Amino acid sequence: GAGVSQSPSNKVTEKGKDVELRCDPISGHTALYWYRQSLGQGLEFLIYFQGNSAPDKSGLPSDRFSAERTGGSVSTLTIQRTQQEDSAVYLCASSLAGGGGGNEQFFGPGTRLTVL
Amino acid sequence: SQQGEEDPQALSIQEGENATMNCSYKTSINNLQWYRQNSGRGLVHLILIRSNEREKHSGRLRVTLDTSKKSSSLLITASRAADTASYFCATRFSGGSYIPTFGRGTSLIVHP
């Protein structure tokens, strides 16, 4: 594809349900990032994947959050037992590489999650 | 916090005027990037400036970096209504995290 895509674009769920958010990065990009943005706030880093290395999970807010990246491409962010404070826009970004230089991040349009 | 902080939080100007936004950070950086976000969705990369650079231009955008003051500014000249958006700086710290960290952003409104 031409850019980073995310699905669904909007998700409304009930408190306590599990949700899965999907990110398709740009082909060939080895680095993939998940961020969370609450209303009117900056981006909060969640997790980072780089190639075949172990992901950096240092930003995940609780053990209800997990993510995987299959085959070095598509990534899924899973939130278990959702809480109202999980409501936010979840943004995915990819870049050519992560560790060195100033690689531009390409962002997807985000998934707006609303937990009722 | 290591993240950059943008200033002002909000800026309202008339079309044709210049808009200046600032970003301050706390530790040494490798580079600093500016992004734009429309309608609370995906961010678009605008410009990157490396720690050994002082000024960069891209169209109507001018970015400066003062590493001694740990600050950067983004100037948009001859603003247009379409420039209305939130602007974020992202910093990558030298010798540390490779994950760009973002500030809270400056919300710019350009009135036609």
Side-chain angles (χ1 to χ4, degrees), chain B residues 92-105:
Chain B
R92 181 179 176 275
F93 297 95
S94 57
S97 172
Y98 40 74
I99 300 162
T101 54
F102 290 80
R104 295 177 182 269

Side-chain angles (χ1 to χ4, degrees), chain B residues 32-97:
Chain B
L32 186 146
Q33 305 184 52
W34 284 92
Y35 286 80
R36 183 184 71 204
Q37 183 180 39
N38 291 89
S39 305
R41 302 300 278 218
L43 279 72
V44 174
H45 184 264
L46 295 177
I47 198 166
L48 177 150
I49 187 164
R50 300 188 188 279
S51 59
N52 61 351
E53 297 175 313
R54 291 297 167 259
E55 186 171 314
K56 286 191 79 169
H57 296 256
S58 178
R60 294 183 296 110
L61 306 180
R62 182 170 77 98
V63 169
T64 62
L65 180 64
D66 187 336
T67 53
S68 66
K69 295 181 179 179
K70 294 186 171 55
S71 68
S72 173
S73 67
L74 169 67
L75 169 67
I76 304 174
T77 59
S79 63
R80 305 168 181 167
D83 295 328
T84 295
S86 291
Y87 292 83
F88 294 85
C89 66
T91 47
R92 181 179 176 275
F93 297 95
S94 57
S97 172

Side-chain angles (χ1 to χ4, degrees), chain A residues 19-37:
Chain A
V19 295
E20 283 190 353
L21 312 180
R22 177 186 168 105
C23 172
D24 282 86
I26 293 173
S27 177
H29 281 192
T30 60
L32 186 147
Y33 309 77
W34 281 98
Y35 293 89
R36 177 171 71 174
Q37 185 178 33

Side-chain angles (χ1 to χ4, degrees), chain A residues 2-60:
Chain A
V4 178
S5 61
Q6 292 186 246
S7 60
S9 56
N10 288 283
K11 176 70 176 180
V12 180
T13 190
E14 294 179 347
K15 177 182 174 181
K17 301 283 189 181
D18 298 351
V19 295
E20 283 190 353
L21 312 180
R22 177 186 168 105
C23 172
D24 282 86
I26 293 173
S27 177
H29 281 192
T30 60
L32 186 147
Y33 309 77
W34 281 98
Y35 293 89
R36 177 171 71 174
Q37 185 178 33
S38 300
L39 186 63
Q41 301 297 309
L43 275 69
E44 175 188 4
F45 164 72
L46 297 177
I47 189 169
Y48 162 73
F49 296 89
Q50 170 54 39
N52 295 321
S53 302
D56 182 332
K57 304 179 182 180
S58 60
L60 294 179

Side-chain angles (χ1 to χ4, degrees), chain A residues 27-112:
Chain A
S27 177
H29 281 192
T30 60
L32 186 147
Y33 309 77
W34 281 98
Y35 293 89
R36 177 171 71 174
Q37 185 178 33
S38 300
L39 186 63
Q41 301 297 309
L43 275 69
E44 175 188 4
F45 164 72
L46 297 177
I47 189 169
Y48 162 73
F49 296 89
Q50 170 54 39
N52 295 321
S53 302
D56 182 332
K57 304 179 182 180
S58 60
L60 294 179
S62 77
D63 58 8
R64 296 186 295 105
F65 288 72
S66 63
E68 62 178 23
R69 189 179 184 191
T70 54
S73 182
V74 172
S75 177
T76 302
L77 176 69
T78 301
I79 309 174
Q80 296 179 310
R81 305 181 301 282
T82 53
Q83 303 295 312
Q84 289 182 331
E85 60 263 29
D86 299 334
S87 296
V89 175
Y90 288 81
L91 293 163
C92 173
S94 70
S95 65
L96 275 173
N103 294 294
E104 174 185 350
Q105 290 180 304
F106 293 82
F107 280 82
T111 293
R112 186 179 298 279

